Amino acid sequence: MINSLKTAALGAALAFGLVGTASAQELNFFTIGTGGTAYTYYPVGGVIANAISKPPGSRECGEGGSCGVDGLIASAVSSRGSVDNVNAIISGLRSSGFAQSDVAYWAYTGTGTMEGSEPATDLRTIAALFEEHIHLVALKDSGINSVADLSGKRVSLDEPGSGTYVDANLILEANGLSVDDVTAEALKGGAAAEALRNGKIDAFFVVAGYPAGALVELASAAEIKLVPITGAGADALTAKYGFFASSDIPAGTYEGVDATTTVAVGAQWFTSASQDEELIYNITKALWNDESRKLLDVGHAKGKTITAESALNGVGVPLHAGAERFYREAGLLD
């Protein structure tokens, strides 16, 4: 897998006319595990990969060229999501990846939903990125108005290995339900949206930064609603797990959908403690330079909320030494 990624990246370098310069400067390939292509992790990962890359032969920063890390070719890799990314980082399959703050903390400590698993003590944080909202999606005329109404319904919880699957189970539990009380499906992105539209499921969960692409498309083609995640169940969830907070998805985020109160978690960027300190320092520095700011602002609707000032918000897994050095030098960490 890693060799094939290197081959693909090298092919891209050759395609950009970097044949003569590649041999003069060592190439460094860096993967970012994201999520399904229909949600938020994947496009944001692509923007960040672009921001931190600087293949040999690139024009200099400030002269119309890349302000990334010299010789670095980063790539966003589609994956099953948070749990899959954490496992891939620890196994060495991927250089880094995005994960929900709750999933990462439980993996690092071997607690919560990861109770009984070997703690992922080599997991390290590069940055907190943006807030992710838990979307519970149903058709407008479905009669599903609360989590309790899911009992006996056909509900997609997303794939095992995704953060959505973890959180969907926690939400059911907080509302007195379990996976046995629904007919559970494991659909992602466009497949879940299509199944809802065609009446094959009654509802599905998505944990994503809004607006999620698959839901934008669904709302333009069908009358949908976002089911509120509020009341005693939401209160129990936020009280038990500090990672969750009550938050609103504004009206108009999705066509015809009213403002909806739900719960949210943080999306964060992780790597392994074994990654080179100087490399992660330079990646973190590249992420937060002014040129990257321009890319983030126009690259995705969530990009404007990805800021250096919030890069340490809700971090529960230790910073990588390289990232920590950058934040100290930038005055963001005492």
Side-chain angles (χ1 to χ4, degrees), residues 200-214:
K200 294 181 179 178
I201 59 173
D202 300 302
F204 66 96
F205 284 94
V206 176
V207 181
Y210 65 75

Side-chain angles (χ1 to χ4, degrees), residues 30-322:
F30 193 85
T31 51
I32 305 172
T34 59
T37 57
Y39 295 150
T40 308
Y41 277 9
Y42 185 76
V44 169
V47 173
I48 290 177
N50 188 28
I52 66 174
S53 294
K54 188 177 182 181
S58 300
R59 286 184 292 176
E60 288 303 310
C61 179
E63 298 177 6
S66 170
C67 295
V69 181
D70 286 339
L72 186 72
I73 298 177
S75 58
V77 180
S78 178
S79 77
R80 288 185 293 166
S82 294
V83 178
D84 184 36
N85 290 336
V86 168
N87 290 338
I89 291 167
I90 297 306
S91 69
L93 179 63
R94 294 182 197 125
S95 312
S96 70
F98 299 161
Q100 294 166 202
S101 54
D102 55 336
V103 170
Y105 178 78
W106 287 326
Y108 176 74
T109 58
T111 59
T113 60
M114 305 299 178
E115 186 80 48
S117 300
E118 184 74 21
T121 54
D122 280 347
L123 196 64
R124 293 292 185 271
T125 304
I126 297 175
L129 299 176
F130 56 85
E131 194 175 44
E132 294 190 274
H133 286 71
I134 298 173
H135 301 61
L136 176 52
V137 189
L139 294 177
K140 187 166 283 187
D141 61 359
S142 65
I144 299 173
N145 299 307
S146 69
V147 176
D149 292 335
L150 296 179
S151 180
K153 300 293 196 297
R154 299 161 297 173
V155 184
S156 176
L157 310 180
D158 209 312
E159 296 177 336
S162 69
T164 297
Y165 181 83
V166 172
D167 288 351
N169 277 272
L170 290 176
I171 289 164
L172 290 175
E173 179 186 341
N175 285 273
L177 300 175
S178 76
V179 69
D180 295 330
D181 295 308
V182 301
T183 301
E185 301 289 347
L187 304 174
K188 285 192 85 70
E194 191 65 20
L196 181 75
R197 187 180 173 191
N198 293 332
K200 294 181 179 178
I201 59 173
D202 300 302
F204 66 96
F205 284 94
V206 176
V207 181
Y210 65 75
L215 300 189
V216 171
E217 293 182 15
L218 176 61
S220 69
E223 292 191 343
I224 64 168
K225 66 168 68 172
L226 294 179
V227 179
I229 301 177
T230 55
D235 292 344
L237 192 71
T238 56
K240 185 174 182 180
Y241 302 111
F243 311 102
F244 292 102
S246 179
S247 188
D248 291 346
I249 298 174
T253 299
Y254 305 105
E255 184 179 334
V257 178
D258 296 334
T260 308
T261 301
T262 181
V263 291
V265 294
Q268 300 179 352
W269 187 14
F270 299 94
T271 189
S272 168
S274 64
Q275 286 289 330
D276 180 72
E277 179 178 335
E278 194 66 20
L279 173 64
I280 300 301
Y281 169 82
N282 286 323
I283 284 173
T284 310
K285 185 176 181 179
L287 174 65
W288 300 124
N289 69 39
D290 290 341
E291 294 303 312
S292 295
R293 175 77 272 143
K294 296 174 186 176
L295 291 174
L296 289 167
D297 286 347
V298 302
H300 189 272
K302 228 25 175 180
K304 286 186 170 67
T305 70
I306 301 174
T307 67
E309 290 71 28
S310 61
L312 302 178
N313 289 358
V315 171
V317 173
L319 290 166
H320 188 282

